[in-house]
Amino acid sequence: MMEQSNVRRRQLPSLTHLIFGSRLLIGLVILFSAGTMYFASSVEAAGIDLGVTAQKAWDSVLNKADAQTKLTLKQAYDKVGNWKAQEQVWEQKIKTLHAANTAELERLRVEIRQTDDAKVAALAEKVKQIQARYEPLFALYSSVNRQLDAAKAIKNKEWSAAIRTQSEALRPVVKLAREDIRIKKKELAEARKRKSAEIKRLRAMLAGADSAKKQIQTAKKQASLAKERYSKALQQFKQSTKQSQTSRVLSSLNTLASVAEKWAGTKQSIHTLEQNVSTTYVKVRQEIAKRPK
């Protein structure tokens, strides 16, 4: 009995892990299923928005039609609903991707503006430090030269000779110090030049998305026109259901389906263009990432 109890205790952790893992897996499946069902229900719900009165008129048309005509009408109606659903799906995708592109553009602009800031700041600090280091030497050299001028002015040969010796001894040291500063300043100037060139290059890459953005604006105008056509076609469909003429109802449904298809197509085109913008931003991001830190 004791031995069986020990075996059960040893099995308990593995069983607990198995149960927990199974629950986690089931939870993920439920979450995924819920998301799928939500997406599916969203698509299904995005049919033709008729309103109460028009819906009754449509139901009346269906009830009066024979079986084959009823099936044809329903198929045409479902076709419109499917295109309308696709239009809404594309619209949501556009909003999501556009928001991501807008946020990424802002981040990229900031990072491009800050290109090589650390390098330039470090070199600028070096120039500042080296100038401060040599300042006493330059002050001494200036003082000695002023004394030399004063000695010459009073025509004191001994004093002039002594001061000249000091000045000549300091001259090569001062020359080296100035050369050191010149080199550091040149490095700083070149770093600033490289920074400007790189910023210009990256901004030019970023501007590569401008063409797609202009096309998006054009496509949005087309989508607005398609929406207006859809609204007019929908009104014609509603009007035809009031007249209860099956042929007109079917004709108006086919027209509505064609308009809805074009509307969904414009939205898909806008999404494709937003993807082009995103692709450009990815390339810029990769270029920034390749730069040495």
Side-chain angles (χ1 to χ4, degrees):
M1 290 295 290
M2 287 294 293
E3 185 176 349
Q4 290 179 353
S5 177
N6 290 334
V7 169
R8 286 178 186 149
R9 286 174 186 169
R10 287 194 298 270
Q11 290 177 341
L12 184 59
S14 59
L15 288 172
T16 302
H17 177 74
L18 179 62
I19 292 169
F20 177 77
S22 300
R23 286 179 178 175
L24 179 61
L25 179 60
I26 292 169
L28 291 173
V29 170
I30 291 172
L31 182 63
F32 175 78
S33 300
T36 305
M37 287 188 292
Y38 173 78
F39 178 79
S41 64
S42 298
V43 172
E44 289 172 2
I48 307 176
D49 185 14
L50 294 180
V52 177
T53 303
Q55 185 65 51
K56 287 181 179 179
W58 166 243
D59 292 340
S60 176
V61 170
L62 289 178
N63 292 333
K64 292 178 183 178
D66 58 65
Q68 183 58 47
T69 303
K70 186 175 183 179
L71 178 61
T72 303
L73 287 170
K74 280 188 173 181
Q75 288 175 339
Y77 183 91
D78 289 342
K79 188 177 180 181
V80 176
N82 288 335
W83 283 120
K84 186 64 173 65
Q86 288 190 39
E87 180 273 325
Q88 291 189 5
V89 169
W90 285 120
E91 176 63 20
Q92 187 55 50
K93 287 183 176 182
I94 289 167
K95 287 180 179 179
T96 301
L97 185 55
H98 179 71
N101 282 342
T102 300
E104 177 65 357
L105 175 59
E106 185 59 31
R107 287 191 293 267
L108 287 171
R109 281 175 172 168
V110 171
E111 292 183 35
I112 290 172
R113 191 165 58 246
Q114 295 173 344
T115 297
D116 289 346
D117 272 0
K119 291 180 181 179
V120 171
L123 288 171
E125 183 61 25
K126 282 184 178 180
V127 170
K128 183 179 177 180
Q129 290 175 355
I130 202 167
Q131 285 178 326
R133 186 193 310 163
Y134 290 129
E135 187 58 36
L137 173 63
F138 296 149
L140 175 61
Y141 187 59
S142 296
S143 176
V144 169
N145 285 334
R146 283 195 299 271
Q147 292 178 45
L148 180 59
D149 291 339
K152 288 179 179 178
I154 63 174
K155 298 180 180 180
N156 189 323
K157 293 183 179 180
E158 292 181 1
W159 188 24
S160 295
I163 298 300
R164 187 178 291 106
T165 300
Q166 293 182 38
S167 178
E168 291 175 353
L170 288 171
R171 188 177 297 120
V173 180
V174 170
K175 184 178 179 181
L176 288 173
R178 286 174 176 167
E179 180 65 12
D180 196 7
I181 292 173
R182 188 192 67 80
I183 291 171
K184 293 295 186 294
K185 284 185 174 180
K186 183 181 178 182
E187 290 176 357
L188 175 59
E190 289 175 348
R192 284 173 172 161
K193 187 176 180 181
R194 285 194 300 271
K195 172 184 169 73
S196 297
E198 184 63 7
I199 288 175
K200 185 177 180 181
R201 185 181 76 88
L202 292 173
R203 283 177 175 168
M205 286 187 66
L206 206 58
D210 290 349
S211 176
K213 289 180 181 180
K214 289 180 181 178
Q215 292 177 60
I216 286 172
Q217 295 306 313
T218 301
K220 281 184 176 180
K221 291 178 182 178
Q222 293 172 349
S224 295
L225 290 173
K227 183 179 180 180
E228 290 178 11
R229 294 190 187 103
Y230 177 85
S231 297
K232 290 178 180 178
L234 180 59
Q235 286 303 115
Q236 290 174 357
F237 166 66
K238 289 180 179 180
Q239 190 65 33
S240 68
T241 58
K242 291 179 182 179
Q243 297 171 355
S244 295
Q245 294 182 14
T246 305
S247 59
R248 287 190 177 182
V249 172
L250 183 58
S251 176
S252 63
L253 272 176
N254 289 333
T255 300
L256 190 59
S258 176
V259 173
E261 180 181 3
K262 290 179 181 177
W263 189 13
T266 59
K267 291 295 181 70
Q268 184 176 5
S269 296
I270 292 171
H271 183 264
T272 299
L273 290 167
E274 283 287 356
Q275 286 180 317
N276 292 342
V277 172
S278 181
T279 299
T280 298
Y281 292 168
V282 168
K283 290 178 180 178
V284 176
R285 170 66 60 194
Q286 290 172 343
E287 284 296 305
I288 292 174
K290 286 193 301 185
R291 288 187 55 76
K293 303 301 179 182

